Structures are given as structure tokens and as C-alpha cells.
Amino acid sequence: MGEILFQTHALCKNYNGKNVVDNVSLAVKKGDIYGFVGLNGAGKTTLMRMAAGLIRPTAGSLSLFGATGDKLDEARRKTASIIENPVFYPSMSGRENVAAYLGLLGKDKTKAAEYLRTVRLDPQSPKKARSFSLGMKQRLSIAMALAADAELLFLDEPTNGLDPEGMYEIRELLKYLNKERGVTIFISSHILSELEKLATTYGFIHYGRLIKEATLHEIEASMYKGYILEATDNALAHKIMSDAGVASNIIDGTLAIKGDINVSEAVAKLSGAGVAVLSLTAKHAELEDYFRNLIGGAQ
């Protein structure tokens, strides 16, 4: 059982008589990249704003590094939050922005270049923050989190609006921070194809309620596995598989086999019946399939 850095217990936030965050209890362990998954409006940003101290919970509690209540503000010094749109001094360069932040923290301003190089921004560039691309803004905000020596980083949809190359750069940067710098990351997203390449633990929120918390290993173990088979006679292949107790269906001219099979035995059985296998491709359900199944059950 790892050290828990961020935890909520029956956390609620009510607006106009409706719980936007509804009785949420979750735990983020040291070293996690915790993927907080939900549709737009599910309550992800609201929960993160409570964690950052920007709004107060209506009910329930949260802790950071074991601190609660009046001690939370001190514990937040070990965190950094990038919620909604990153904000900088628009007329300053990246280096000037980081140096100004270091000054506010009472730290050595000359370290600004080091933090910028870490996030792959040129510390010598005179380009003003107002002219940065969205990907550059995200990287600059992460540089400022590094400047604060954050041990726990809250990121709200950091790849939203980025092109594929920008998504890749942010993903690889976060992996580096987690593995090489030991930063624990709590990241919200609805772009599940990106998140499943990054997160180690997941929390799924739907209409304000946490409906599932699971590790990547637990999710992979429970996700659908199967094969797509193309044969010289798909109808006969379907009958042979069915007779052997293997669930399958003919879809778009191929045989979709549900579940795991012994590939060598299956091919031998089909060949013995005069059916040649033209192609056989393993298929695994994606995180999006898993999530859709969850919220289908929730609804």
C-alpha cells in the first residue's frame, strides 16, 4: 500500500441545489499517474478546483499529503495546478515569466533557463507568451510547476485542443516528470485514446459520482479480448468455432471471435476441415469501450 498524497472522502459540491460533485471518495498514491475520466460536465474540473483551494466543498473532506482542514494551505505548497486555461504575463517571454514566478517564490531566478530546457522551450527565445501556441503554453505552465518543486501536479485536460504532435510532446513530458522527477500526476481528460497511453490508475466519474476506481492492470485484465479471422469459408469457420464452444459472429465479411483462444489449435481445427485461414488478428478493447460499458451500466 503506497503513500496516499491526495484523498477525498464523500466530497460534494452543490450549485443551485444540484451536486456537481456527488459523494466522491478517491485516493491518489505517490508515483501514480491518476487518470480522472469523465464526459464534459461530469465534475472533473470542479473536483480539481476544490483540491487547489479555489472553491470550498459543500460537504465531505479532502486531504493532501495527510493534511486536512487548516493545514491544507501549507500542504498545497507541494502541489501545482493547471486548471482550465494556463495564464501568464502576455508581454513577457517564457524565461521572463518563469523568472518572475521564481522571484515570487523567493528562489533563484537564474534557474528559469533550466526549467524551460526541461520542457523543451528555448530559454533564449524573445517570443512573448501572447504569441505562444497552445502546446507551448502548456509546456510553459509545466515549467512553472517544476519551478515550484511540485510533488503533486493537477492537470485539467492538458491535451485538449492540441494537434497529434502536441499531444505526443505533452504525454512524453509527463512520463518524464513521473519517472525521472518522481512527480505524482492527477490528470483529467475525455480524450481516452491519449490517457490510456499514460495513466497507471483510473477514476471514472459520471454525473458527479465516482463509479469506478481501478489500476491499469485491473482494467486490462477485465477488458474484452478477441480475434478477427478471415478464412476461405467464413460460414463454415463460424460453424466449426461454434461447435467447439467458441463465441463468434460474421461481421463485414470476417469472423469476429470473442474471448481468448488457443490460436494453433483453432488454425489446425479449421485446416483439418478444409478451411484455410487467410488472416488472424488479435483485438483488444480500448479504454473508451471500458468507459462506455461503465456509464451504460450507471445509466
Side-chain angles (χ1 to χ4, degrees):
M1 184 83 178
E3 178 188 356
I4 295 175
L5 301 192
F6 172 52
Q7 188 167 25
T8 70
H9 177 68
L11 193 67
C12 297
K13 183 60 182 178
N14 188 286
Y15 288 113
N16 300 319
K18 178 183 177 182
N19 274 341
V20 178
V21 172
D22 190 2
N23 203 42
V24 170
S25 298
L26 57 77
V28 178
K29 297 175 185 175
K30 185 174 182 177
D32 275 350
I33 299 180
Y34 189 106
F36 197 38
V37 179
L39 302 174
N40 287 331
K44 303 188 299 296
T45 299
T46 300
L47 185 139
M48 296 175 83
R49 287 171 65 84
M50 286 189 280
L54 299 175
I55 56 175
R56 292 180 178 275
T58 304
S61 63
L62 63 88
S63 66
L64 290 165
F65 301 91
T68 60
D70 294 340
K71 296 181 180 180
L72 273 173
D73 283 343
E74 182 65 28
R76 287 189 177 104
R77 294 178 181 271
K78 295 191 281 186
T79 74
S81 303
I82 305 170
I83 298 174
E84 297 175 328
N85 297 318
V87 178
F88 313 105
Y89 294 109
S91 60
M92 288 185 178
S93 67
R95 185 169 186 163
E96 289 169 338
N97 266 284
V98 177
Y101 186 50
L102 284 166
L104 289 172
L105 295 172
K107 296 185 177 183
D108 183 0
K109 293 183 180 182
T110 63
K111 294 279 190 180
E114 173 190 332
Y115 296 123
L116 287 169
R117 281 192 288 267
T118 298
V119 300
R120 301 181 185 92
L121 288 176
D122 181 5
Q124 304 305 322
S125 173
K127 189 173 186 176
K128 305 305 182 187
R130 69 163 66 91
S131 302
F132 279 17
S133 68
L134 180 56
M136 291 174 69
K137 288 178 179 177
Q138 292 288 12
R139 282 183 279 157
L140 178 56
S141 63
I142 292 171
M144 296 176 79
L146 289 174
D149 293 323
E151 297 177 39
L152 174 59
L153 184 56
F154 291 96
L155 297 173
D156 183 26
E157 303 275 6
T159 60
N160 198 20
L162 298 182
D163 60 24
E165 182 63 22
M167 289 183 181
Y168 173 80
E169 289 178 354
I170 293 297
R171 185 174 73 242
E172 291 305 302
L173 175 57
L174 296 180
K175 286 180 180 179
Y176 165 78
L177 294 179
N178 179 253
K179 297 297 183 185
E180 303 301 325
R181 295 290 188 104
V183 179
T184 301
I185 299 170
F186 185 93
I187 175 172
S188 75
S189 183
H190 66 278
I191 306 174
L192 303 192
S193 60
E194 280 300 305
L195 201 55
E196 68 181 333
K197 299 170 186 173
L198 182 65
T200 57
T201 304
Y202 293 88
F204 298 91
I205 187 170
H206 193 52
Y207 290 130
R209 297 187 68 86
L210 191 74
I211 55 176
K212 182 77 173 181
E213 212 177 13
T215 65
L216 175 62
H217 177 74
E218 290 168 339
I219 291 172
E220 288 179 337
S222 66
M223 282 166 67
Y224 166 90
K225 298 178 180 68
Y227 297 84
I228 300 296
L229 182 147
E230 186 177 1
T232 51
D233 189 335
N234 287 325
L236 181 54
H238 174 51
K239 182 178 185 306
I240 293 168
M241 290 291 99
S242 296
D243 290 346
V246 177
S248 64
N249 290 294
I250 297 176
I251 301 174
D252 296 330
T254 60
L255 189 67
I257 299 171
K258 185 175 182 180
D260 207 1
I261 61 170
N262 185 310
V263 172
S264 298
E265 287 184 5
V267 171
K269 190 181 292 289
L270 292 169
S271 297
V275 178
V277 175
L278 303 177
S279 66
L280 182 63
T281 307
K283 293 287 288 182
H284 296 269
E286 298 178 344
L287 184 63
E288 182 177 342
D289 302 313
Y290 184 88
F291 178 55
R292 290 178 67 182
N293 287 334
L294 279 180
I295 65 175
Q299 288 172 323

